[in-house]
Amino acid sequence: MPSFPDEPDFVLPRPRAASRPRVPKSAFLAGLIFLLFLVAHNAVPLYTDWLWFGEAGYRNVFTTTIAAKTGLFFAFGSLFFTLLFTNLQFARRLAPEKADRFLRERFGPVWAPVMQRGLGWIILAVTLFFSLWAGRLAADNWTQWLEFSHATPFGTADPVFHHDIGFYVFQLPFWSFAVNFLLTTLILTFAGVVAVHVTHRAIDTFAGLPDIAPKVKGQLLILLAAIALTYAVDTRLGSYDLLTSDNGVFSGAGYADLHYRLPILNLQIILLIATALACLVSLRRRSLRWVGLGVGAWLFTGIVIGGVVPGALEKLYVEPNQFTMERDYIARNIRYTRQGFGLDNVQRVNSFAADESLTASGLRANRDTLDNVRLWDYQYLGKLYGQLQTVKNYYKFEQTNVGAGTSYNLDIDRYTIGGRVR
């Protein structure tokens, strides 16, 4: 029989499994130290303010402020975290099998699960960071919350929407903030969910068109419906700003606002609600045609009709006949301005006994006052100087913005003339 040689003296080394990385304890320790630093950093000024308000006898003011800030921080921060983290985690669970296959092909069978867990920790860390930011943003609106929770009616309703004036003073600012906060949260959540689905290949392209899994489409449509409904509420609250808009001649809702802008805003609200309903109806349909039509109609109404038509009609139709068409609205502005300043019950006196006893001796006795009476109106003096110097161009008088207009920057000063201050 043929003899075989003995086994070789060397043995090939077996491949060892790659060791899985572990999160170092130093990272947790650093995070804990940073958290303790934040607590200590804020505890010192808080304790100082506690002592100061106590010495001044207003400690209840301090506790009310802290309670309002803390409550808003945790309420809105928790709302932001719940919406964002829950949707991102649900998006990860909807990942198709090809997502795991892609990770295994790219990083190997050992590192693919590690990458999945790492993505989960990254999502948690990012969500916590933005939740802290959202809570801090909400805490800065503590005055609006206290006004909202302690609102008092004025007993007078506005002539357009028929809400009590107290609603606009005390409640509308906080409602606007809360709705804008929810809208921003939903938009960020939608963007994050889309990013997760794209990363997991749940949103892919086929023949140049987006290929979306049915469950993924359902999550995106529900978020779009929520965004549309929230934006409809935000548009409704924004329409109340017409009551305080500046029309150049007066402040408040004018002819163009009530006949053009407000109907277009109401049409946008209807289209947003219809878009939300189209999203919910499309959950059981493959076609997104009605959703696209709703979004397109809303964009066309807001940008083209709402942005161009009211301005053009106001320039071409209202402004040439402004004092005729705006007469009722100007009278309304005057009436409510008088009521706001408490001038609606002023007693008018048409005739009264004037003191006609002013004599030369009285003028001499008040000479210092008369000598310091301002002789020039600086507003018209600035225009006059501007016209004169336009021709000669020796000097240039600076104009500053004052409210909605401009004013010449002319100073009124005191000068010593003949030993007397004038």
Side-chain angles (χ1 to χ4, degrees), residues 1 30-31 51 75 78 94 105 117 135 142 205 219 236-237 254 256 291 304 319 327 339 381 416-417:
M1 294 181 64
L51 296 177
S78 300
L94 296 178
E105 293 175 356
R117 288 195 299 270
W142 63 274
T205 57
Q219 184 186 20
R236 180 59 177 176
L237 296 178
V291 178
V304 179
E319 288 190 2
R327 184 186 301 274
Q339 185 176 354
L381 185 63
T416 302
I417 301 175

Side-chain angles (χ1 to χ4, degrees), residues 24-219:
K25 295 182 179 180
S26 58
F28 292 100
L29 182 61
L32 180 61
I33 293 175
F34 179 71
L35 182 61
L36 293 175
F37 169 77
L38 290 179
V39 173
H41 179 73
N42 293 315
V44 173
L46 284 176
Y47 182 68
T48 304
D49 291 339
W50 165 271
L51 296 177
W52 188 89
F53 276 93
E55 290 294 328
Y58 291 99
R59 184 164 288 171
N60 60 333
V61 176
F62 175 77
T63 55
T64 301
T65 303
I66 295 300
K69 290 182 178 180
T70 305
L72 290 174
F73 177 85
F74 283 103
F76 282 85
S78 300
L79 175 63
F80 186 93
F81 179 84
T82 302
L83 287 176
L84 183 58
F85 186 74
T86 302
N87 279 279
L88 292 180
Q89 288 295 97
F90 185 71
R92 294 186 63 207
R93 292 182 180 180
L94 296 178
E97 296 181 358
K98 61 181 179 181
D100 293 335
R101 191 164 57 249
F102 170 76
L103 290 177
R104 290 178 180 275
E105 293 175 356
R106 178 64 62 89
F107 300 101
V110 176
W111 285 89
V114 177
M115 296 298 297
Q116 285 283 9
R117 288 195 299 270
L119 181 61
W121 284 106
I122 292 174
I123 290 176
L124 177 61
V126 171
T127 307
L128 281 175
F129 173 79
F130 282 104
S131 299
L132 294 176
W133 167 79
R136 177 62 181 272
L137 180 65
D140 292 337
N141 292 269
W142 63 274
T143 54
Q144 296 179 357
W145 163 249
L146 292 178
E147 292 173 354
F148 175 85
S149 58
H150 298 83
T152 302
F154 278 43
T156 302
D158 74 277
V160 178
F161 300 102
H162 307 292
H163 292 303
D164 188 89
I165 303 299
F167 168 77
Y168 302 102
V169 176
F170 299 116
Q171 295 179 313
L172 182 59
F174 184 77
W175 274 121
S176 299
F177 162 74
V179 173
N180 281 313
F181 180 91
L182 179 60
L183 180 62
T184 304
T185 302
L186 290 173
I187 293 175
L188 290 177
T189 301
F190 182 83
V193 167
V194 171
V196 171
H197 285 316
V198 171
T199 303
H200 287 133
R201 299 292 183 90
I203 299 179
D204 211 339
T205 57
F206 180 76
L209 298 175
D211 183 21
I212 305 176
K215 293 183 180 180
V216 174
K217 185 185 72 172
Q219 184 186 20

